Amino acid sequence: QVQLVESGGGLVQAGGSLRLSCAASGSIFSIIVMGWYRQAPGKQREMVATQTSGDITKYSDSVKGRFTISRDNAKNTVYLQMNSLKPEDTAVYYCNIRSTYHNYWGQGTQVTVSS
C-alpha cells in the first residue's frame, strides 16, 4: 500500500515562506490529479491547489499568486511553495494523489502563521 508522507510544515511569521513536500512511498500509476488541501480548526477541508497529469493547474482564490504547486515525477514527490503567508493560512495541510484506481491522502502537516 502506497503511503504519502508530508513534510515542511511549521511555524512562520506573516510574510514568510514555507515549502511543503509530499513523497509517495512507491510508484503510483495512472495518476489523474495531485493536490494540496487544508483544514483550519472548525472549518471544512478545502482545496488549495491541484495539478493534473496534463499540467493543468488550479488554485483557490485565497492563495492565487502566493502559492505554487509543482511535482517531480522521478521522485514521486509533489511540492507546495507558499510565499507571503498570512495568519489565515494557518491549517493542517494534506497532500492528495488520485489515480484511476486509488485516492491517496497524506497524514497532514501543520502550518501556523503568526501575526
Side-chain angles (χ1 to χ4, degrees), residues 49-60:
T50 60
Q51 186 175 71
T52 69
S53 57
D55 289 333
I56 297 173
T57 302
K58 184 184 298 184
Y59 296 95
S60 70

Side-chain angles (χ1 to χ4, degrees), residues 36-103:
W36 289 92
Y37 294 73
R38 68 186 182 187
Q39 187 166 18
K43 294 187 177 182
Q44 289 189 331
R45 189 173 298 188
E46 63 174 356
M47 184 276 289
V48 175
T50 60
Q51 186 175 71
T52 69
S53 57
D55 289 333
I56 297 173
T57 302
K58 184 184 298 184
Y59 296 95
S60 70
D61 288 342
S62 62
V63 307
K64 203 171 293 183
R66 300 187 297 122
F67 291 12
T68 304
I69 187 172
S70 62
R71 69 179 190 268
D72 185 331
N73 292 328
K75 295 182 179 180
N76 294 323
T77 302
V78 60
Y79 304 96
L80 184 68
Q81 178 66 44
M82 306 186 294
N83 298 327
S84 302
L85 282 161
K86 304 175 181 180
E88 50 263 44
D89 294 319
T90 295
V92 178
Y93 283 70
Y94 297 90
C95 173
N96 171 254
I97 298 178
R98 182 159 54 93
S99 71
T100 303
Y101 307 105
H102 297 96
N103 190 26

Side-chain angles (χ1 to χ4, degrees), residues 18-29:
L18 284 174
R19 188 193 195 204
L20 305 183
S21 299
C22 171
S25 61
S27 297
I28 301 176
F29 301 99

